[in-house]
Each structure stands twice: as structure tokens, then as C-alpha cells.
Amino acid sequence: MIHSMTTTVDRHAVAADWRRRGFSCGLWVDPPGQVWADFVHDTDEVVMIVEGKVEFEIGGVIHQPQPGEELLIAAGTRHTVRNLGVTESRWLYGYGREKAAGR
């Protein structure tokens, strides 16, 4: 029998950590099958799965992080996000200070 661990993401703790590191923190919710293709931002972005099965293709490399795992998407890197699950996905995203401040 395989036992799986459920990781609970503390959104407030993540937001505080990201703020200390110079990032904003927002929650994104996607329906099953949602794809956001070929985005490029002018600032660094961090992402973290809260729940669901989400795939990030960053610079041609596929990542399927588990809830609580953080990914950094460097400024200028092309990336695509896919909700692979059959349910809604929820994930946190944060932009570096320049993007968060609207500059």
C-alpha cells in the first residue's frame, strides 16, 4: 500500500516570506484543462501549487511541482502553465518588485 502525504500550504506564511524576498503574492484559480501559453515577464516570478495538478514548462523544461514546492521563473524566460487535473487548481504567484509595483 502506498501512503501519500498531504501538504497544506500556509498562504500567509508564503506571502510573508515572498514579501521579505521582494515578491508580491496572489492566488490564481484555474478550471480543469486551462492552459496559459508562452508568457514572458520582464521580472522574476515565483510560483507554488496550493492544490491540484499543475505543470509548468519553463524554458522548454517540464516541471510538475507538488503542493508547497516553489519554482522560480527568471525574467525573460518563456513559460507555459497547464492544469492537468480533473478539478480546479490553485496556485500562488508572485512578481519581483518592479512588476508588483507596476513599473
Side-chain angles (χ1 to χ4, degrees):
M1 176 189 257
I2 298 174
H3 297 280
S4 63
M5 293 179 55
T6 302
T7 300
T8 302
V9 175
D10 182 339
R11 182 176 173 191
H12 298 291
V14 172
D17 176 54
W18 287 3
R19 199 169 29 255
R20 278 191 301 275
R21 294 166 45 205
F23 290 91
S24 61
C25 185
L27 176 67
W28 199 262
V29 179
D30 282 326
Q34 177 68 53
V35 176
W36 300 101
D38 296 326
F39 280 83
V40 177
H41 303 295
D42 58 359
T43 188
D44 291 342
E45 179 181 10
V46 289
V47 294
M48 180 183 290
I49 303 303
V50 174
E51 63 183 58
K53 185 174 182 178
V54 181
E55 175 178 275
F56 293 86
E57 183 174 345
I58 303 169
V61 178
I62 303 290
H63 303 270
Q64 292 183 355
Q66 297 301 306
E69 290 182 62
E70 179 182 298
L71 293 176
L72 174 66
I73 304 169
T77 303
R78 184 168 308 282
H79 57 285
T80 296
V81 182
R82 300 176 186 94
N83 179 356
L84 301 179
V86 295
T87 62
E88 243 178 23
S89 65
R90 297 174 184 275
W91 47 284
L92 300 175
Y93 67 97
Y95 297 113
R97 290 180 202 263
E98 293 80 25
K99 181 89 172 181
R103 287 182 255 163

